[in-house]
């Protein structure tokens, strides 16, 4: 975590000097944020392309070993993408009215919408050549959420299902055999679907990455031209909404209440723990201004100049939320089970409560800066 810079004046002068004598302005924080966003989306795109290559290698000659490599590549591709989710919730290029977020990461999904499931060997688009004679990216996109929110046809979790299949075991993830792509019923159509959905995901990531690339007339250039305080408000909205609404409420509390495997984020691969850890790591990145080898003035630096005590509390809470997520036992679908005093459920509840506190501290910081920060949908 970034060292928090403390000033003598609590009046919020954005040009005041920090403890090392260097002033950090809102404009500098916004400019560095744009660099961080670009770097993170760049990594997400590169890892998705690597996944596409490994999936293509598998489809060109399916073996158990190549399927496992494609699965590992999917898991690796998720790590940088999850760290981009903090860039949502303020109508940026990922989730404005034309944004592809719902095409990339929608869940939970009715897997029978895509392919066979236990008890129904003929379900899904893969097994319906009559209605869907040709499977391509255009079809995959057109079917997404066509007749309901659970009708997910594309994105990371569609790929996940096609690689792992249903998770029918308490001891591990799904166990789709590689023969689903060789001798299995509709193996060729299944291959066409996996190829199409993977290529479509890469194409959508390319669009978002281009909107944050430097030196172009794109979303990034407009973001840097807006008043710095307005940009800071957007940055904090992404952090607060991911903390309070998306993570604490939607992804953790729902699964905690229902104890249902279908309510965990990456249920086919049993990698939901990564979803928790790296989403919250994304928030920590924005706070510290650090991602990989990139470092610079993050929101924490600015907060330390405006409200030192609040900044210290919030920085500690952000660090604690990441550690709380890491403490949730793996796999997540077993951690949600049992009585409320079971270790897994205690760890999940602790993460929920830590995130709720984190969101409230972000609200308090927003007030110090003169604007409101939402933590749930519909708030202004």
């Amino acid at each position: 975590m970034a060292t928090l810079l403390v000033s003598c004046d609590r009046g919020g002068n954005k040009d005041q000097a920090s403890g090392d004598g260097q002033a950090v302005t809102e404009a500098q924080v916004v400019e560095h944020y744009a660099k961080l966003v670009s770097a993170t989306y760049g990594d997400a795109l590169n890892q998705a392309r690597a996944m596409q290559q490994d999936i293509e290698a598998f489809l060109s000659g399916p073996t158990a070993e190549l399927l496992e490599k494609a699965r590992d590549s999917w898991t690796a591709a998720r790590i940088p993408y999850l760290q981009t989710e903090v860039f949502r919730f303020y109508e940026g290029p990922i989730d404005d009215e034309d944004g592809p977020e719902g095409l990339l990461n929608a869940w939970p999904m009715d897997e029978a919408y895509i392919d066979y499931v236990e008890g129904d060997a003929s379900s899904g688009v893969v097994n319906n050549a009559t209605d869907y004679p040709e499977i391509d990216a255009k079809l995959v996109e057109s079917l997404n959420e066509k007749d309901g929110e659970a009708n997910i046809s594309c994105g990371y979790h569609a790929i996940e299902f096609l690689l792992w299949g249903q998770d029918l075991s308490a001891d591990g993830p799904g166990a789709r055999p590689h023969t689903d792509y060789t001798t299995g019923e509709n193996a060729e159509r299944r291959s066409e679907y996996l190829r199409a959905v993977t290529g479509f995901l890469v194409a959508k990531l390319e669009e978002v990455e281009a909107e944050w690339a430097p030196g172009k007339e794109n979303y990034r250039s407009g973001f840097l031209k807006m008043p710095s305080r307005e940009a800071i408000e957007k940055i904090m909205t992404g952090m607060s909404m991911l903390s309070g609404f998306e993570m604490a409420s939607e992804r953790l509390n729902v699964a905690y209440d229902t104890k249902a495997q279908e309510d965990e984020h990456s249920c086919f691969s049993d990698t939901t723990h990564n979803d928790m850890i790296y989403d919250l790591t994304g928030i920590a990145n924005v706070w510290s201004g650090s991602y990989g080898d990139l470092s610079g003035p993050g929101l924490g630096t600015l907060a330390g100049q405006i409200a030192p005590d609040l900044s210290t509390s919030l920085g500690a809470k952000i660090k604690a939320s990441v550690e709380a997520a890491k403490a949730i036992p793996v796999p997540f679908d077993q951690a949600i089970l049992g009585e409320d005093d079971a270790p897994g459920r205690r760890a999940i509840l602790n993460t929920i409560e830590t995130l709720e506190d984190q969101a409230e501290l972000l609200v308090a910081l927003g007030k110090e800066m003169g604007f409101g920060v939402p933590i749930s949908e519909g708030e202004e």
Side-chain angles (χ1 to χ4, degrees):
M1 302 300 295
T3 300
L4 300 177
L5 304 177
V6 178
S7 70
C8 298
D9 178 9
R10 295 174 61 95
N13 182 354
K14 67 181 181 181
D15 294 321
Q16 66 195 32
S18 65
D20 60 3
Q22 297 296 314
V24 175
T25 67
E26 291 176 357
Q28 289 172 323
V29 171
V30 171
E31 183 176 1
H32 182 69
Y33 172 84
K35 294 178 183 178
L36 188 147
V37 175
S38 180
T40 314
Y41 274 124
D43 279 356
L45 176 58
N46 288 335
Q47 289 290 343
R49 286 170 172 164
M51 174 185 69
Q52 184 181 31
Q53 291 178 352
D54 287 337
I55 286 175
E56 187 56 44
F58 164 67
L59 294 176
S60 297
T63 65
E65 292 74 20
L66 288 175
L67 176 57
E68 194 61 34
K69 185 176 181 181
R71 289 169 174 168
D72 290 343
S73 194
W74 181 92
T75 303
R78 288 287 288 168
I79 290 175
Y81 180 79
L82 290 163
Q83 292 174 78
T84 72
E85 291 216 86
V86 70
F87 313 140
R88 292 175 53 193
F89 307 108
Y90 54 79
E91 297 184 345
I94 184 65
D95 60 359
D96 61 13
E97 61 180 17
D98 298 317
E101 199 281 330
L103 300 170
L104 289 170
N105 200 39
W107 73 286
M109 63 176 287
D110 176 8
E111 53 265 45
Y113 190 58
I114 294 178
D115 199 2
Y116 76 87
V117 294
E118 186 179 41
D120 191 349
S122 62
S123 66
V125 175
V126 167
N127 301 295
N128 188 354
T130 301
D131 293 336
Y132 311 108
E134 182 178 353
I135 297 176
D136 57 17
K138 184 177 180 180
L139 175 70
V140 165
E141 179 179 15
S142 69
L143 292 176
N144 198 58
E145 299 186 4
K146 182 179 179 181
D147 296 313
E149 290 184 355
N151 288 349
I152 307 303
S153 63
C154 57
Y156 285 100
H157 298 299
I159 297 170
E160 179 192 11
F161 172 57
L162 287 165
L163 291 176
W164 273 273
Q166 287 179 288
D167 180 7
L168 303 174
S169 169
D171 300 324
R176 184 188 291 277
H178 77 278
T179 52
D180 272 7
Y181 292 89
T182 55
T183 59
E185 190 74 19
N186 289 310
E188 185 175 346
R189 286 176 57 81
R190 190 169 292 109
S191 296
E192 291 171 353
Y193 200 117
L194 180 55
R195 181 176 288 114
V197 74
T198 304
F200 181 70
L201 180 138
V202 170
K204 292 292 125 179
L205 283 175
E206 287 173 344
E207 293 175 7
V208 179
E209 190 271 343
E211 288 295 327
W212 283 99
K216 298 181 179 181
E217 287 298 319
N218 53 12
Y219 182 85
R220 175 178 177 161
S221 64
F223 185 80
L224 293 176
K225 290 175 184 176
M226 69 176 59
S228 296
R229 181 61 60 94
E230 182 179 336
I232 293 289
E233 183 176 351
K234 289 181 179 294
I235 292 169
M236 291 179 61
T237 294
M239 298 172 73
S240 64
M241 286 291 289
L242 184 59
S243 298
F245 171 72
E246 188 69 17
M247 296 301 294
S249 179
E250 293 291 302
R251 300 194 189 176
L252 283 168
N253 200 52
V254 171
Y256 180 85
D257 285 343
T258 66
K259 301 183 181 182
Q261 180 190 61
E262 292 296 316
D263 288 325
E264 68 162 323
H265 204 218
S266 296
C267 61
F268 311 118
S269 60
D270 267 354
T271 59
T272 300
H273 57 287
N274 281 349
D275 297 316
M276 303 300 118
I277 293 168
Y278 288 103
D279 266 312
L280 303 187
T281 297
I283 295 172
N285 295 344
V286 174
W287 181 257
S288 67
S290 301
Y291 175 76
D293 294 332
L294 179 66
S295 64
L299 180 67
T301 302
L302 184 65
Q305 296 177 178
I306 294 171
D309 293 342
L310 179 56
S311 175
T312 299
S313 297
L314 181 51
K317 192 63 69 173
I318 289 172
K319 182 177 181 179
S321 71
V322 177
E323 294 304 315
K326 290 179 179 179
I328 298 174
V330 179
F332 184 87
D333 61 5
Q334 299 305 300
I336 58 177
L337 302 179
E339 300 297 326
D340 287 351
D341 60 353
R345 288 183 63 77
R346 288 204 309 268
I348 293 170
L349 183 59
N350 178 55
T351 307
I352 292 170
E353 292 174 344
T354 302
L355 285 169
E356 290 172 343
D357 292 344
Q358 178 172 301
E360 292 295 341
L361 287 170
L362 283 161
V363 170
L365 179 59
K367 289 180 179 178
E368 288 281 343
M369 300 183 75
F371 52 76
V373 175
I375 57 175
S376 63
E377 286 190 330
E379 286 189 11
E380 296 294 337

